[in-house]
Every structure is written in structure tokens, then in C-alpha cells.
Amino acid sequence: GIQVEQSPPDLILQEGANSTLRCNFSDSVNNLQWFHQNPWGQLINLFYIPSGTKQNGRLSATTVATERYSLLYISSSQTTDSGVYFCAGFSGSARQLTFGSGTQLTVLP
Amino acid sequence: DGGITQSPKYLFRKEGQNVTLSCEQNLNHDAMYWYRQDPGQGLRLIYYSQIVNDFQKGDIAEGYSVSREKKESFPLTVTSAQKNPTAFYLCASSRDSGQAYNEQFFGPGTRLTVL
């Protein structure tokens, strides 16, 4: 199956700062999802983004499928943005979503 | 209110016992999935089902079993053969499992602890 690598593994920001999280995948993926896992463990869907750029409020994501990476941008971070961010790539041949190990984001007040 | 529900939220099991985790969805999705998450790690696929009465093993199926008798329900049994079952278990569903409409949505999870 595919391998999904996320960087950085940990990120500490001051409230109001901007950040970029990266996701690299080892092979072609049909689709890519970004999630935020809150402190209670719930996975919140952020983006479903096989290619191109999408924006949702202070968050935006870009996937460059031909170069096998995706980026998640968080602008003007808030303490409520803290948690773990996962990307996951869907392989059509395997019919499954493969997750990266996540980026632990801590936003300090 | 459409969504995915999992029960129980917390589960404690003695070694040697089988336990069943419940997952129900009212999104009318065809595909359902079970994942396991260990501390500090990403999710790993246990089993998935593309349609009623059909299911496929994922990457870590050993020691687990599933059934899919109804479209809305996909229970997971953690058997005594699973060597290290303490983990956080997440259920997901998607409209289908093909290349389109495969965005997955997750339930709130069940934390299983073996005593």
C-alpha cells in the first residue's frame, strides 16, 4: 500500500501565528482528506481535496497530485486549533484510506 | 440528525473475553470501516464493508471479526485472539468505496481497555 508522511510531527505556535503542515505520499492517490482530531478523539473532516486548492475560513488546503503532496495552511491560529491534524490518502486499487502519523499542534495564548 | 454513533464510549474487558463494539449510521452510506488508533499514532484499517453481507480484511484484521447484516450497522468483535486489544476504535462510513464519493466520516470512537 501507499505510505503517507506528515511533517512536522510537533508544532508549537503563539496565538495569531500562521502555519503550514505538509503531507507527502509515496504513490498516486485518488483522493486526499485532512482531519482535525480534537482532545476527545473525534475526527473532524476539514478537507476532501484530490487536487487543487480549497478554503474554509482561516484554513486552506492545496494538493498537487502530480508531485504527491498536500499542504494545510492555518492562518491567525487560535487556541481551539490545538489538537492533532491527520492527512489520509485514498488508494483506488486498495480501496482504503491510509493515514499519516499526524502533526500535534499546540497553540499558546 | 444524520451521523455515525458508536457505543459504548468506554469499555473494559478482562483478558480472554470477547467484546462487541457497536457502530450505526443513518447517512444511507453503502461503505463502512473500522479503524484502530494507538497512542501517538495514526489510524490503521481493521475491516471494511462495501455493501451488505460483504466485508474485506484491512491491514490488521487478525483477532477481530465483523458482520454486515444491515446497511446501517457494522459491529466489530474483538476476540480473545487479539493479543493487544487496548486501543481507541473508530468507525467510519462513506457513500461508496470507489474512486468517487469515498469521503469518509467518523464516529466518536470507543476506548477499549483490557484489564
Side-chain angles (χ1 to χ4, degrees):
Chain A
I2 64 167
Q3 309 295 319
V4 180
E5 258 185 43
Q6 289 188 244
S7 60
D10 296 279
L11 187 58
I12 300 175
L13 300 173
Q14 209 66 41
E15 199 168 27
N18 302 330
S19 62
T20 301
L21 283 56
R22 186 177 179 106
C23 176
N24 291 333
F25 29 97
S26 62
D27 205 345
S28 300
V29 294
N30 303 110
N31 286 308
L32 189 108
Q33 289 188 247
W34 282 97
F35 299 91
H36 175 213
Q37 188 168 39
N38 66 21
W40 297 272
Q42 175 80 55
L43 277 172
I44 310 298
N45 288 43
L46 298 177
F47 294 101
Y48 175 64
I49 183 168
S51 63
T53 297
K54 290 186 178 180
Q55 178 141 15
N56 184 3
R58 295 181 297 103
L59 274 59
S60 66
T62 294
T63 296
V64 184
T66 53
E67 297 187 23
R68 300 179 185 171
Y69 73 89
S70 184
L71 303 173
L72 177 69
Y73 306 96
I74 304 174
S75 65
S76 305
S77 57
Q78 301 176 358
T79 56
T80 51
D81 294 333
S82 296
V84 184
Y85 289 80
F86 288 104
C87 69
F90 183 85
S91 167
S93 57
R95 287 183 175 259
Q96 65 179 61
L97 206 55
T98 300
F99 280 76
S101 298
T103 292
Q104 173 75 59
L105 175 65
T106 303
V107 181
L108 302 174
Chain B
D1 203 24
I4 303 170
T5 57
Q6 292 186 239
S7 62
K9 193 171 181 179
Y10 298 95
L11 186 56
F12 298 91
R13 187 195 97 172
K14 292 183 180 178
E15 279 193 31
Q17 287 181 337
N18 293 352
V19 289
T20 298
L21 282 57
S22 168
C23 177
E24 304 274 332
Q25 54 97 1
N26 62 4
L27 300 168
N28 200 33
H29 284 174
D30 284 328
M32 296 186 74
Y33 311 82
W34 273 105
Y35 292 89
R36 170 184 171 133
Q37 185 179 28
D38 292 289
Q41 297 186 27
L43 281 66
R44 292 182 291 166
L45 183 66
I46 304 172
Y47 267 99
Y48 67 99
S49 168
Q50 298 178 54
I51 200 165
V52 174
N53 292 322
D54 176 74
F55 47 83
Q56 308 294 329
K57 292 182 179 180
D59 297 327
I60 55 166
E62 186 175 347
Y64 300 98
S65 66
V66 293
S67 63
R68 186 87 186 277
E69 296 176 3
K70 297 187 296 183
K71 185 175 184 176
E72 58 271 21
S73 178
F74 191 39
L76 173 75
T77 297
V78 184
T79 75
S80 56
Q82 168 49 234
K83 293 178 183 176
N84 186 18
T86 294
F88 186 47
Y89 291 87
L90 288 147
C91 176
S93 71
S94 64
R95 187 169 159 183
D96 69 36
S97 63
Q99 294 190 21
Y101 309 116
N102 55 30
E103 183 179 6
Q104 292 187 22
F105 298 88
F106 283 79
T110 293
R111 293 193 185 276
L112 172 63
T113 303
V114 173
L115 304 172

